[in-house]
Amino acid sequence: MTVTSLPPPRKRSSTAGGSARSLQKGQQTRAVILEAALGQASHMGLEGLSIGALAEVTQMSKSGVFAHFGSREELQIAVIREYHARFEEEVFFPAVREARGLPRLRALFERWVRRVSVELDSGCIYISGAVEFDDRPGPVRDALASMVRAWQSALERAIALSIEEGHLRADTDSLQMLFEVHGLILALHHDARFLRLPGAIDRARVGFERVITTYLAAAPAHAPRSAAR
């Protein structure tokens, strides 16, 4: 019986392995560019992103940098998504492991404050991006607004859970409370980063506790001794 010869499996494996290595190398290169772009945007804003500067930092050609993103706009959107992913890892995911209600809400705010405190020498892309793109419609603004809304929705949900758990008053306006809490972070960023005022972080924490106190549910009254008998 004649056996039909097949292509040597080694050659097929080598081709597949080469493709996998090429894909992995491309992903690694993209990650290096994105890391440099994130650092650049943190200091100079999304509009400060420069293909030429990134090529110099990463020791690549301009065409090489451009090939991984296709356009400056796509690069800006990729930076926004990467910033949001890191924000979730540092702030959101650890905080949601806390108990539902006030423990979780407090953890979200505290981790947010810590994030701001380490960004004093760079900057918050959420805040700087809002200034750059507040009146400039387009895909970059849409991407940025979408990430900010996602974070605000998470905070609003934490407030709603605090109401459900009986930690906050039933008549608490979750959107109003969200507005006040978000305002504390904006004030913190302004005073700590722009004015370099000492004590801004502590004032933000004090302000948060005052907001909590405003909406705090009354502790259940203890039953009179006579009624307990």
Side-chain angles (χ1 to χ4, degrees):
M1 181 175 65
T2 304
V3 179
T4 305
S5 60
L6 298 174
R10 182 179 301 175
K11 185 176 291 185
R12 293 179 62 190
S13 175
S14 176
T15 302
S19 298
R21 284 193 298 272
S22 178
L23 178 61
Q24 184 179 21
K25 183 178 179 181
Q27 291 172 337
Q28 290 173 343
T29 302
R30 191 178 192 278
V32 168
I33 298 170
L34 197 53
E35 180 72 28
L38 187 59
Q40 193 179 92
S42 296
H43 286 89
M44 295 181 289
L46 291 166
E47 281 296 273
L49 284 173
S50 163
I51 297 294
L54 288 175
E56 184 176 348
V57 169
T58 58
Q59 296 184 334
M60 295 176 60
S61 65
K62 291 182 181 180
S63 60
V65 173
F66 190 84
H68 284 276
F69 296 95
S71 69
R72 184 166 173 269
E73 185 177 84
E74 286 301 318
L75 173 62
Q76 290 172 323
I77 292 172
V79 166
I80 292 168
R81 289 173 177 162
E82 179 65 19
Y83 181 85
H84 184 73
R86 296 187 185 194
F87 187 92
E88 286 184 321
E89 288 293 333
E90 292 179 25
V91 180
F92 178 73
F93 292 129
V96 295
R97 299 189 190 107
E98 301 293 332
R100 289 160 55 106
L102 274 184
R104 186 175 299 176
L105 181 59
R106 280 197 165 99
L108 285 168
F109 183 80
E110 178 58 29
R111 287 185 172 276
W112 198 4
V113 167
R114 292 180 195 173
R115 172 81 184 199
V116 172
S117 69
V118 300
E119 289 180 329
L120 294 182
D121 292 326
S122 56
C124 173
I125 288 179
Y126 287 157
I127 296 174
S128 63
V131 173
E132 291 179 288
F133 292 92
D134 59 349
D135 59 353
R136 295 177 57 188
V140 177
R141 186 189 189 283
D142 292 345
L144 182 62
S146 175
M147 301 304 170
V148 173
R149 289 193 189 101
W151 170 234
Q152 289 193 335
S153 294
L155 279 174
E156 186 184 356
R157 177 59 179 159
I159 294 170
L161 287 174
S162 298
I163 298 170
E164 290 178 18
E165 293 294 321
H167 300 157
L168 300 178
R169 296 198 321 265
D171 64 348
T172 298
D173 183 338
S174 59
L175 286 177
Q176 178 62 35
M177 187 175 183
L178 170 64
F179 183 87
E180 293 168 14
V181 171
H182 194 194
L184 288 170
I185 294 295
L186 294 178
L188 168 60
H189 191 272
H190 179 275
D191 283 10
R193 178 166 163 75
F194 179 56
L195 297 180
R196 301 288 176 176
L197 294 178
I201 291 175
D202 290 337
R203 280 191 287 274
R205 289 179 173 135
V206 169
F208 178 72
E209 290 304 321
R210 285 182 178 172
V211 171
I212 292 291
T213 300
T214 300
Y215 297 100
L216 202 61
H222 295 290
R225 289 180 179 274
S226 59
R229 292 176 184 174

